[in-house]
Amino acid sequence: MVKPIKITETILRDAHQSLIATRMTTEQMLPIINKMDQVGYHSVECWGGATFDASLRFLKEDPWDRLRKFRDGFKNTKLQMLFRGQNILGYRPYADDVVEYFVQKSIANGIDIIRIFDCMNDLRNLQTAVNAANKEKGHAQVAMSYTLGDAYTLDYWKDLAKGIEDMGANSICIKDMAGLLLPYKAEELVKELKATVDIPIQLHTHYTSGVASMTYMKAVEAGVDVIDTAMSPFSMGTSQPATEVMVETFKNTPYDTGLDQKLLAEIADYFRPIRDEALDSGLLNPKNLGVNIKTLLYQVPGGMLSNLTSQLESQHASDKYYEVLEEVPKVRKDLGECPLVTPSSQIVGTQAVFNVVTGERYKMVTKETKEILEGKYGATAKPFNPEVQKKCIGDKQPITCRYADMIEDELPEFEKEVAAYKEQDEDVLSYALFPQVATEYFKYRDAQEKKVDVTEGNEEAYPV
């Protein structure tokens, strides 16, 4: 049965993460929330991913406070976040007690839908978060990190989808972080998944390779339930297709979203000056707005390309850019042909830089590369290159169980360490994920509060 297509709006999370390094402030977002709440989106993705780290590190904001303000403003719209499975919003696997507590607090502070993914597509790294979301009566959406390679056949995706449904997820997302999913492949994949599982299917892609709008069209025709889009000022390039364009595309068809273009235009008018300011300041690199066909050649996500560029600049080796691009797929193959998504994309990219800059492959090996080869990040779709594994970890016996099973409860220790700064329960979670960054933020917060205390009742005592 043909149904109207639903829209998840990404401008408050992935769109500005992809284009301006997650630098949009809560203050910039809040004035438009009332209008966004009237649109009738399936959901608004507004939290998780890199927003947590960026809020604390660069914006000196409490991410939990941002979420509560969103919840107050969005009276009619479901709020959605991105969650890295056992890695939560950090870059290493955490103990189950931390994962469970983070899910509990995310839902208590206002999140409705948690999109959970694992950089290896290892379902063992997703189960704790799914169970926790179900326990808290949240919507657990599990994302399949889409990638290409010999291992990633239609049967692979169908088996993965069945496993996701069986583990208790409420919906599935095809997470195409690099814009690799081509239109007719999307049609084929969605049809096969719809025939395999009964839960809804959502599609998330990026415009990096230039095909995303066409991919959405074929996926919608094939029966996908929801697509992720971004308001036009922060769409295209390394972000998502434009919300208004997709709404207009399906207007007066059986897939009509029913969304009001006049209201969307008012929202776009609000964000346009923020985009222009980012362009003028250099925060938004015009290169990120174009099409990069190398994405399809090297399967490197947009954010990873900019990381590689800056790493090479810091090593005074910018001339090695194309060598590194060619090395990335080789390293990926050595590491079990893993999908390239946080944190595996950073790990593979950094190792490729080292391999090229040192002039010898795996002469210099990062701690994280060793940990992948030790099995700490989970099972890969294909076996590791045995020679590379031997060179990097020697005779160390790789882990075959779920690594989190080997991690003792961590919350009690984090509670002790953060006690001096703690003002709310959630502070222990901010500290657990980013100890140094959170501590710096807590000190800043404390200083700001002292300023306020001094000025209270005597505005001239301490000019702020």
Side-chain angles (χ1 to χ4, degrees):
M1 187 183 79
V2 174
K3 294 178 297 191
I5 187 66
K6 294 174 186 170
I7 301 267
T8 288
E9 175 58 60
T10 69
I11 192 157
L12 302 185
R13 205 286 296 178
D14 200 16
H16 75 103
Q17 180 175 316
S18 298
L19 291 176
I20 59 168
T22 335
R23 295 299 201 279
M24 207 185 288
T25 64
T26 305
E27 204 173 274
Q28 287 175 311
M29 299 173 191
L30 290 179
I32 198 63
I33 280 177
N34 184 44
K35 275 201 176 121
M36 289 181 70
D37 194 35
Q38 297 165 34
V39 172
Y41 290 120
H42 168 71
S43 64
V44 170
E45 192 202 37
C46 61
W47 210 62
T51 63
F52 200 94
D53 184 358
S55 292
L56 292 166
R57 191 186 298 265
F58 303 115
L59 306 177
K60 292 291 177 270
E61 290 184 5
D62 178 11
W64 298 100
D65 186 50
R66 175 185 289 191
L67 176 54
R68 289 189 285 266
K69 284 173 176 167
F70 283 158
R71 185 69 282 165
D72 288 345
F74 282 107
K75 314 277 189 213
N76 312 299
T77 310
K78 286 184 174 167
L79 300 184
Q80 184 168 321
M81 74 172 289
L82 183 67
F83 193 96
R84 298 175 189 143
Q86 213 65 32
N87 300 332
I88 312 179
L89 303 178
Y91 304 101
R92 72 161 177 91
Y94 288 85
D96 286 340
D97 66 333
V98 185
V99 176
E100 287 160 0
Y101 194 43
F102 202 101
V103 169
Q104 182 195 327
K105 284 297 181 186
S106 300
I107 292 171
N109 280 279
I111 288 295
D112 299 291
I113 301 169
I114 303 188
R115 178 179 291 170
I116 308 157
F117 77 95
D118 176 64
C119 68
M120 299 294 174
N121 285 329
D122 186 339
L123 296 185
R124 298 173 304 174
N125 292 334
L126 299 162
Q127 188 71 64
T128 299
V130 170
N131 291 350
N134 288 336
K135 185 182 172 191
E136 300 300 323
K137 305 287 187 285
H139 178 113
Q141 179 179 88
V142 172
M144 309 192 291
S145 298
Y146 182 80
T147 189
L148 303 173
D150 297 341
Y152 301 99
T153 61
L154 261 181
D155 282 341
Y156 170 89
W157 298 116
K158 283 160 66 177
D159 290 346
L160 190 60
K162 197 74 195 112
I164 290 168
E165 185 176 50
D166 291 344
M167 78 193 301
N170 301 108
S171 63
I172 292 173
C173 175
I174 303 163
K175 179 178 164 57
D176 178 24
M177 53 281 170
L180 300 175
L181 184 57
L182 299 172
Y184 288 101
K185 285 288 179 193
E187 180 182 40
E188 179 184 45
L189 179 59
V190 169
K191 278 183 177 168
E192 289 288 342
L193 294 183
K194 293 297 281 184
T196 304
V197 296
D198 295 322
I199 55 178
I201 310 278
Q202 183 156 356
L203 177 56
H204 171 93
T205 189
H206 289 252
Y207 217 99
T208 323
S209 61
V211 302
S213 291
M214 293 181 283
T215 295
Y216 275 170
M217 192 164 192
K218 295 310 286 181
V220 167
E221 289 172 356
V224 86
D225 297 281
V226 193
I227 53 174
D228 286 11
T229 65
M231 289 303 303
S232 55
F234 282 89
S235 69
M236 315 285 274
T238 48
S239 177
Q240 280 77 48
T243 304
E244 306 96 306
V245 173
M246 298 319 297
V247 167
E248 199 62 25
T249 298
F250 297 115
K251 198 174 173 182
N252 299 325
T253 75
Y255 313 107
D256 196 329
T257 62
L259 304 192
D260 179 355
Q261 284 284 26
K262 283 186 182 164
L263 184 55
L264 292 174
E266 288 173 33
I267 296 165
D269 287 344
Y270 176 82
F271 282 108
R272 204 165 286 113
I274 299 173
R275 190 268 317 269
D276 293 344
E277 193 185 311
L279 269 170
D280 292 343
S281 69
L283 188 56
L284 174 51
N285 186 332
K287 282 181 185 170
N288 291 344
L289 294 170
V291 167
N292 193 331
I293 201 65
K294 289 190 188 73
T295 304
L296 295 175
L297 298 177
Y298 302 112
Q299 298 176 36
V300 177
M304 189 175 163
L305 282 174
S306 49
N307 278 350
L308 291 179
T309 311
S310 61
Q311 281 183 345
L312 286 169
E313 280 170 5
S314 69
Q315 305 265 345
H316 307 292
S318 296
D319 57 319
K320 308 271 192 203
Y321 180 67
Y322 289 105
E323 275 181 71
V324 171
L325 275 186
E326 283 172 25
E327 178 66 10
V328 165
K330 294 174 188 168
V331 173
R332 179 180 172 240
K333 205 162 188 181
D334 291 338
L335 303 189
E337 210 167 70
C338 55
L340 296 179
V341 64
T342 305
S344 58
S345 50
Q346 288 89 330
I347 297 168
V348 168
T350 303
Q351 190 59 55
V353 169
F354 283 165
N355 286 2
V356 169
V357 170
T358 60
E360 183 189 325
R361 302 188 79 229
Y362 304 103
K363 178 182 183 180
M364 198 169 163
V365 185
T366 68
K367 176 171 83 76
E368 290 80 9
T369 296
K370 287 178 182 172
E371 285 176 347
I372 284 184
L373 292 166
E374 286 167 11
K376 287 185 178 178
Y377 282 85
T380 48
K382 294 199 105 174
F384 299 128
N385 178 331
E387 288 169 22
V388 169
Q389 191 177 27
K390 176 84 173 160
K391 185 171 184 179
C392 296
I393 68 167
D395 294 325
K396 198 178 255 193
Q397 202 56 37
I399 297 156
T400 53
C401 68
R402 185 185 75 120
Y403 179 54
D405 289 337
M406 300 168 69
I407 309 174
E408 296 288 330
D409 283 357
E410 295 180 291
L411 270 178
E413 192 55 39
F414 290 137
E415 288 278 9
K416 273 188 221 161
E417 290 171 15
V418 84
Y421 300 105
K422 188 176 166 186
E423 290 185 8
Q424 57 178 353
D425 289 346
E426 290 80 3
D427 286 345
V428 71
L429 290 164
S430 301
Y431 178 82
L433 265 53
F434 303 105
Q436 286 172 299
V437 173
T439 302
E440 286 303 310
Y441 169 73
F442 297 149
K443 287 176 183 171
Y444 167 84
R445 180 177 68 184
D446 195 38
Q448 294 301 107
E449 283 163 2
K450 282 184 178 139
K451 282 183 194 177
V452 172
D453 288 345
V454 174
T455 57
E456 216 166 271
N458 180 2
E459 286 180 18
E460 296 198 25
Y462 195 120
V464 180

